[in-house]
Amino acid sequence: MSLQLALAWLANQLQVQRPRQWSSWLLRLFIKPSPRAPWAAITPQQAPDPAAWAGRALGVPHGAPWWLWPWRLFVLPAAPRPRRWLARLVLLGRWLARALALARRPLGWVFWLVLWPLRALMRGLERLAAKLDTSGAGLAIGRAADRALAPVIAIPGMRWLVLGVAMAAALAVMTTPFNWFGQLIFLLLAWMLSMVLRKLPGRFPSLALATISLTAMGRYAWWRMTNTLQFDSPMEALLGYGLLAAEAYTWLVVVLGFVQSAWPLQRPAAALRGATQDWPSVDVFIPTYNESLSVVRPTVLAAMAMDWPRDKLRVYLLDDGRREEFRAFAAEVGVHYIARTDNRHAKAGNLNHALGLTQGDLVAIFDCDHIPTRSFLKTSVGWFQRDPLCAMLQTPHHFFSPDPFERNLGTFRRIPNEGALFYGLVQDGNDFWNATFFCGSCAVIRRAPLMEVGGIAVETVTEDAHTALKLHRRGYTTAYINEAQAAGLATESLSAHVGQRIRWARGMAQIFRTDNPFLGRGLTLWQRICYGNAMLHFFFGLPRLVFLTAPMAYLFFHIHIIHANALLLALYVLPYILQSNIANAHVQGKYRHTFWAEVYETVLAWYVALPTTLAMINPKLGKFNVTAKGGLVERAYFDWTTSLPYAVLVLLNLGAFAMGFVRLLWWNADEPATVLLNLVWTTYSLLMLGAAMGVASESRQVRRMHRVAAQLPAVLYLGDGRVLQATCTDFSMTGLGLQVHLREHESLQLAPGEPVHVGLWWDDTECALPAEVVLDKGRGTVGVQFGALSRDEQIELVQCTFARPDSWTHWNNTQDVDRPLMGLHEIAQLGLRGYRKMGSALLHEARRLVRRRPTPLTTAP
């Protein structure tokens, strides 16, 4: 009896007229009866049939089999009726409104019960993922998958078969038209699967995450191109297709990028063969133009000290500046000096001139600030012995000084720098496809193939990548060892950094225009993809500017450049963004943290857009510019010249945000979701632009020789005969930081200028170097500065510090783990800090202008 009363009360609350029909109960959970026709006034004959209504809404005909009902929840009919999407969107809005109204009723607990299984499933997935991560099961599964699938993938033709089947299945999923509910379920299932896969190590979970990400992107791209391109005016069409072109560019780069880095080779060093007298001879080229001798000196000394037979190693200082100081230095330390009468073709011409004057079997090339380790040649030359077709081997470019992003934003050694992704992952992926790029430094090239292609390429300003492309067209192989065997100086200022990237972008566009990798003979499909993606990457300028300004069309002028319901757009774009971030965090997180690519591209977009466009029109435009190294930033300042484009974009986005706020409250209150979506987009752009403004606020950099943080054993020899054990905490070519190990209650007081000797080691050899105390902070923290060191002492210092084989092995141990939400939070904080710096700089400039304003003369009446 009590159950019947409860059901009667529940039927009255839900206004269910036919309590024996389960469909009536389900329908009334979401749909409230019309107030114009109260249920009390409707006879059973007049009452609507919920099943018939649901059938019409879902497109299920009368008498259809039972399985068509759940199918139509996810998949639309093959030939949808006109305006069906509009009807479904209206229905969705009504259901959401009814859901909100129901949540305020006592029956709101019904929704809690409905959603409880989903919440429980999420918690279970998190616990499963955490267990896999901590128990080692994930590592075991990943290794088992690698062992099981690696032999299968190695079968000839199997890669093509797997790729074809995967593409066919992905295409079917991408093009199947889900309704809003099906798309929501797709989002949730993809997300839940990714939450588990991201905890599994190994390559196959990475490939699975990439596949899910590409599928989500494909669904969005298909829906975007087939459902959102209805425009009412030529201006809408122009802006709408412009945004679509920018999005299509990102889709293409993402697809090519996943292929490029799908299987990092992780090539180890190859052991050298034969006796030392049979090893190849090596010419070491160190080109220089306008750099100071203090920058070049360590590189030359380290090159001289490389572990290689003395009779097979020749070091050449290539001075395009034709400076007598450099000639004297070369004679002093005993290296060859080469200068030429002109600077034709810049660095490429300098190297080609030296090639004509030397005879070594191999050529090792180092930028004048890249200091090689002793083990560089022993690490790299073995592959030339193993593979007679190997024409070039590249190692990473490692920097021991912060670039402008790292210094001005305070992320040095916490967040991977701009080049970490290329040298940490992309080049390893290129190596798998035999498409390793020559990067201009820290590389070894076999002389015979290099001369066969005419030496270093001179047709473009990125002579390095173009040279590698020519070698690959001739059928030669290349190699990459992902082990830092040299380290150099990053660019000191934002303007220098931007100038360097402009040269790279212009050069890649020149190659794409004059020697397109997708055309011509000699390259495999995979090599074409690797080269093509590297070149297309530098065309990000215009698409990034489109993304930074696209919401303004609606917020300023009420122009709809995407014709779709805002909620439906979110249901399609959210899986794309979410899955891309999850996949990138898993695959690239060690080398580039989530959302940081947008910061780098925002800073550079304006400056690379025009050079790449002009290079496509006329490849001969532009010239080689030398990247300044070893300079100083003597005082903190705001780089208004470089940041002017960002400042304009900031003002435009702030204006658009203010206009959107007005639209939300008054002008377009009838479409709040659309206004809110554009406001969220604008807010994200403002955060990225704020981070760009933070990069433009230059911090001081007053050291001519950067100190490198380290933990090296050392000994401090005092003038009174005491010998103290210590740890070298940082080093440079001019001095050291020491932490002396003191016993309890023991003290140490050293006067500035006091002469000492510092003992350092390389292998089992101790080097005692003369120095003087410049700083004593107490508690054993001491700073010393070297005096005038002899040639041998300078070489010993380099051997004990920069040229140690393990100098850069643990460099990234202090790096933060990539957590996408935490990364977005940090970028938001950096953006707000950037705006504070911009405001302070504006205030400073205003005060300076006021002080410079002349005082008007007054005359007596």
Side-chain angles (χ1 to χ4, degrees):
M1 185 65 179
S2 59
L3 179 60
Q4 292 178 353
L5 289 174
L7 288 175
W9 176 85
L10 187 59
N12 183 54
Q13 290 293 320
L14 291 176
Q15 301 181 13
V16 175
Q17 183 67 15
R18 297 183 178 184
R20 293 183 179 274
Q21 292 187 0
W22 64 268
S23 57
S24 299
W25 292 83
L26 182 61
L27 184 65
R28 285 292 160 254
L29 285 175
F30 299 95
I31 305 298
K32 184 178 180 181
S34 173
R36 294 176 297 175
W39 281 98
I42 297 178
T43 64
Q45 291 76 18
Q46 297 171 323
D49 185 359
W53 177 90
R56 288 193 301 271
L58 293 175
V60 179
H62 180 70
W66 65 268
W67 55 264
L68 192 59
W69 288 85
W71 178 253
R72 282 290 172 259
L73 286 174
F74 300 93
V75 181
L76 293 174
R81 294 197 303 258
R83 298 185 176 275
R84 172 156 294 187
W85 274 107
L86 180 60
R88 290 177 181 275
L89 295 179
V90 173
L91 178 63
L92 173 61
R94 290 179 179 175
W95 281 17
L96 290 176
R98 297 296 182 266
L100 291 175
L102 187 60
R104 300 190 185 101
R105 298 181 182 182
L107 292 179
W109 57 269
V110 174
F111 281 96
W112 185 89
L113 288 175
V114 171
L115 295 176
W116 177 83
L118 179 60
R119 290 197 298 269
L121 180 59
M122 292 179 182
R123 289 195 296 269
L125 288 171
E126 284 293 334
R127 286 195 293 268
L128 174 61
K131 186 174 182 180
L132 290 173
D133 191 30
T134 57
S135 66
L139 182 61
I141 294 173
R143 288 177 175 173
D146 284 348
R147 288 194 300 269
L149 296 178
V152 177
I153 296 297
I155 298 175
M158 183 58 66
R159 294 177 187 171
W160 286 102
L161 178 61
V162 172
L163 181 62
V165 172
M167 289 182 65
L171 188 62
V173 175
M174 292 174 188
T175 57
T176 300
F178 291 175
N179 60 13
W180 72 268
F181 186 72
Q183 182 63 18
L184 177 62
I185 295 300
F186 171 79
L187 185 158
L188 294 175
L189 291 178
W191 174 76
M192 289 187 290
L193 180 59
S194 298
M195 293 297 288
V196 176
L197 287 172
R198 70 190 181 97
K199 293 295 184 180
L200 302 180
R203 294 174 175 174
F204 290 101
S206 299
L207 291 176
L209 285 171
T211 301
I212 296 173
S213 175
L214 290 175
T215 303
M217 185 191 74
R219 282 197 57 77
Y220 170 70
W222 180 262
W223 173 81
R224 180 81 169 83
M225 291 186 294
T226 57
N227 290 272
T228 67
L229 301 178
Q230 298 82 32
F231 302 112
D232 299 327
S233 68
M235 181 57 68
E236 279 191 359
L238 177 64
L239 297 178
Y241 283 114
L243 177 60
L244 180 66
E247 291 184 275
Y249 165 83
T250 64
W251 302 335
L252 177 61
V253 170
V254 167
V255 172
L256 297 181
F258 273 129
V259 174
Q260 186 177 24
S261 58
W263 201 273
L265 185 59
Q266 299 175 352
R267 181 194 300 263
L272 290 163
R273 297 174 178 176
T276 56
Q277 60 267 25
D278 299 326
W279 292 358
S281 58
V282 181
D283 293 334
V284 180
F285 290 172
I286 304 173
T288 179
Y289 173 59
N290 59 358
E291 300 83 0
S292 67
L293 184 57
S294 62
V295 171
V296 180
R297 183 190 302 272
T299 303
V300 173
L301 297 176
M304 294 172 58
M306 283 194 292
D307 192 2
W308 200 251
R310 295 296 96 188
D311 61 330
K312 292 182 175 293
L313 179 67
R314 291 177 291 274
V315 179
Y316 294 88
L317 181 58
L318 314 181
D319 181 21
D320 251 10
R322 296 176 288 279
R323 292 158 289 183
E324 193 59 38
E325 178 188 15
F326 278 65
R327 185 187 298 274
F329 166 70
E332 175 191 351
V333 298
V335 300
H336 301 276
Y337 177 85
I338 296 178
R340 55 183 181 145
T341 58
D342 58 34
N343 300 111
R344 182 175 172 80
H345 297 309
K347 178 183 175 181
N350 194 3
L351 294 171
N352 286 334
H353 178 254
L355 283 172
L357 302 176
T358 55
Q359 302 86 31
D361 300 319
L362 303 175
V363 176
I365 301 174
F366 299 98
D367 283 346
C368 64
D369 62 296
H370 279 158
I371 306 172
T373 64
R374 295 195 307 276
S375 59
F376 180 88
L377 291 177
K378 283 191 171 180
T379 299
S380 55
V381 172
W383 280 103
F384 291 94
Q385 293 181 318
R386 180 176 297 188
D387 181 6
L389 288 178
C390 182
M392 187 275 300
L393 184 140
Q394 180 70 54
T395 65
H397 287 191
H398 179 78
F399 301 101
F400 57 80
S401 67
D403 64 28
F405 289 88
E406 296 172 305
R407 187 180 68 253
N408 298 336
L409 297 179
T411 62
F412 185 49
R413 298 189 69 177
R414 286 197 310 107
I415 306 296
N417 62 29
E418 190 184 0
L421 178 64
F422 178 76
Y423 290 107
L425 180 65
V426 173
Q427 278 282 60
D428 248 341
N430 288 341
D431 197 17
F432 179 78
W433 304 115
N434 184 30
T436 299
F437 303 157
F438 172 42
C439 300
S441 179
C442 310
V444 181
I445 307 179
R446 198 188 297 267
R447 178 183 292 270
L450 182 59
M451 301 306 291
E452 182 182 330
V453 299
I456 304 296
V458 298
E459 296 88 348
T460 63
V461 296
T462 48
E463 73 291 334
D464 40 19
H466 200 179
T467 300
L469 178 61
K470 289 185 173 183
L471 291 170
H472 282 126
R473 286 197 186 278
R474 293 294 184 100
Y476 289 104
T477 64
T478 55
Y480 179 71
I481 296 179
N482 191 4
E483 182 179 335
Q485 288 291 307
L489 295 171
T491 50
E492 275 78 20
S493 67
L494 179 60
S495 58
H497 190 87
V498 168
Q500 183 187 64
R501 268 45 179 186
I502 289 175
R503 187 183 81 234
W504 293 357
R506 179 190 294 119
M508 284 299 197
Q510 288 174 333
I511 300 175
F512 194 78
R513 176 70 168 77
T514 61
D515 196 5
N516 194 299
F518 293 111
L519 306 174
R521 298 180 178 179
L523 299 180
T524 66
L525 171 64
W526 311 110
Q527 288 174 325
R528 296 177 194 275
I529 289 176
C530 292
Y531 274 103
N533 187 54
M535 296 170 191
L536 288 172
H537 165 75
F538 285 96
F539 289 89
F540 66 81
L542 284 177
R544 179 58 54 186
L545 293 175
V546 169
F547 295 142
L548 290 171
T549 57
M552 298 178 191
Y554 177 83
L555 296 177
F556 277 132
F557 308 110
H558 196 213
I559 296 177
H560 292 80
I561 58 177
I562 300 178
H563 275 258
N565 177 272
L567 183 58
L568 192 61
L569 174 61
L571 283 175
Y572 272 92
V573 79
L574 272 179
Y576 166 37
I577 296 175
L578 182 64
Q579 295 304 139
S580 293
N581 285 331
I582 293 175
N584 287 335
H586 186 271
V587 177
Q588 305 177 0
K590 183 179 177 182
Y591 311 105
R592 174 164 292 175
H593 285 185
T594 311
F595 299 111
W596 278 89
E598 281 87 5
V599 177
Y600 300 137
E601 292 184 2
T602 299
V603 171
L604 299 172
W606 177 267
Y607 293 100
V608 303
L610 184 61
T612 51
T613 304
L614 292 179
M616 290 297 292
I617 298 172
N618 186 353
K620 296 182 179 180
L621 291 176
K623 62 180 181 179
F624 189 95
N625 60 297
V626 178
T627 304
K629 298 289 184 70
L632 302 179
V633 181
E634 297 182 354
R635 62 178 181 84
Y637 69 96
F638 196 87
D639 189 347
W640 284 109
T641 302
T642 306
S643 65
L644 182 59
Y646 325 143
V648 173
L649 288 172
V650 165
L651 294 176
L652 289 174
N653 276 274
L654 286 174
F657 188 89
M659 190 71 72
F661 191 71
V662 174
R663 288 188 182 278
L664 183 63
L665 297 180
W666 292 287
W667 295 348
N668 298 103
D670 58 326
E671 46 183 5
T674 303
V675 179
L676 284 173
L677 189 63
N678 281 278
L679 286 176
V680 170
W681 189 346
T682 303
T683 301
Y684 183 79
S685 298
L686 283 170
L687 292 178
M688 294 302 158
L689 288 167
M693 304 307 291
V695 180
S697 180
E698 294 281 12
S699 302
R700 295 178 69 225
Q701 195 288 102
V702 295
R703 288 187 182 273
R704 289 195 176 274
M705 296 300 296
H706 289 269
R707 291 292 181 100
V708 179
Q711 291 291 315
L712 305 177
V715 174
L716 183 62
Y717 298 96
L718 302 181
D720 58 7
R722 284 186 292 170
V723 179
L724 303 176
Q725 297 295 321
T727 297
C728 173
T729 56
D730 60 70
F731 60 81
S732 73
M733 286 298 294
T734 58
L736 304 174
L738 299 173
Q739 182 61 53
V740 181
H741 303 161
L742 299 177
R743 299 186 183 90
E744 190 176 359
H745 306 302
E746 186 179 6
S747 62
L748 177 68
Q749 292 183 348
L750 299 175
E754 181 176 343
V756 296
H757 278 74
V758 179
L760 298 173
W761 279 265
W762 62 277
D763 295 339
D764 296 326
T765 303
E766 181 184 9
C767 306
L769 304 172
E772 64 177 31
V773 177
V774 294
L775 179 67
D776 185 355
K777 294 183 177 180
R779 298 186 179 182
T781 303
V782 179
V784 302
Q785 180 176 307
F786 297 117
L789 300 179
S790 67
R791 167 186 175 275
D792 291 338
E793 287 174 335
Q794 291 180 48
I795 293 178
E796 289 176 347
L797 173 60
V798 172
Q799 290 272 44
C800 296
T801 53
F802 293 98
R804 295 170 62 92
D806 60 347
S807 289
W808 321 115
T809 304
H810 307 293
W811 185 260
N812 293 328
N813 286 358
T814 59
Q815 186 172 290
D816 295 343
V817 177
D818 181 22
R819 295 182 176 89
L821 292 180
M822 293 297 295
L824 182 60
H825 179 259
E826 181 173 7
I827 290 175
Q829 290 181 320
L830 293 173
L832 295 176
R833 190 192 308 170
Y835 286 122
R836 287 197 297 270
K837 292 180 178 179
M838 177 183 174
S840 299
L842 280 172
L843 184 60
H844 174 75
E845 288 294 322
R847 289 173 176 171
R848 186 176 64 85
L849 291 175
V850 169
R851 286 196 298 267
R852 290 178 56 185
R853 182 181 300 172
T855 303
L857 297 176
T858 60
T859 58

